[in-house]
Amino acid sequence: MTIVYFLNGPNANLYGLDRSGTYGRESFASIRQRCEDYAASLNLRLEFRQSNHEGVLVDWIQEAREKAAGLIINAAGLTYTSVAILDALLAFEGPVIEAHMSNIWKREPFRHHSYVSRAATGVVAGLGALGYELALTAIARLIAEQPAQ
Ligand code: DHK
């Protein structure tokens, strides 16, 4: 079965609990379940993970090089700072989708520059967890359309 890694960065575990409402009311556990169910309907095996630690995310991206056909990442606050995550993503050969719950370009200027984007095939932002389902749709299609090795 085709394996896709969906990696989530710092504080994503707080979605639904954040009082500003920026990331909606749905809990991270519920979003995860929704993504797993949707991935299964696309015949994808999903590795949906979250870490607050940059090095752990780098390790998972390196692991994905060996195991995954595609990768979706919401690096959260590390999007704007992490050359290490960018370098790990550049070493990943399959399609990469950068995902954000919020529309990062509508927010503070420091969220307008993404290191992740340099390694991303495409970007989904501002659509909440719906964007995660769209990212899964896109990655399934991109993997299926890849030329045979
Ligand atoms: C999530 C975060 O935690 C923020 O640090 C980013 C991103 C935006 C999101 O929209 O999912 O700036």
Side-chain angles (χ1 to χ4, degrees):
M1 204 179 207
T2 304
I3 299 175
V4 168
Y5 274 41
F6 194 143
L7 304 180
N8 296 273
N11 304 303
N13 52 312
L14 300 180
Y15 290 158
L17 302 175
D18 161 31
R19 276 196 278 170
S20 74
T22 306
Y23 306 111
R25 298 210 176 279
E26 189 172 357
S27 70
F28 185 70
S30 167
I31 292 170
R32 174 191 185 143
Q33 188 61 56
R34 198 135 69 91
C35 287
E36 282 172 353
D37 292 346
Y38 188 60
S41 78
L42 295 169
N43 280 324
L44 300 176
R45 206 182 92 202
L46 197 63
E47 283 291 331
F48 193 94
R49 302 183 186 172
Q50 188 272 332
S51 177
N52 293 330
H53 305 281
E54 184 176 19
V56 172
L57 291 160
V58 169
D59 286 344
W60 286 344
I61 296 164
Q62 291 189 10
E63 183 185 304
R65 283 183 77 216
E66 308 295 326
K67 299 190 173 161
L71 195 150
I72 300 168
I73 184 163
N74 183 347
L78 293 168
T79 303
Y80 321 104
T81 62
S82 182
V83 176
I85 287 176
L86 168 62
D87 286 345
L89 290 170
L90 289 171
F92 180 81
E93 286 185 9
V96 173
I97 306 284
E98 175 181 1
H100 299 283
M101 295 279 280
S102 64
N103 179 352
I104 58 174
W105 298 282
K106 214 173 163 182
R107 300 181 65 190
E108 306 93 322
F110 63 81
R111 296 183 205 270
H112 296 177
H113 173 268
S114 163
Y115 282 102
V116 171
S117 287
R118 289 191 71 94
T121 313
V123 182
V124 177
L127 300 171
L130 168 63
Y132 286 8
E133 292 182 23
L134 296 174
L136 285 162
T137 303
I139 208 101
R141 188 84 64 88
L142 290 166
I143 291 167
E145 287 173 357
Q146 267 176 353
Q149 302 286 332

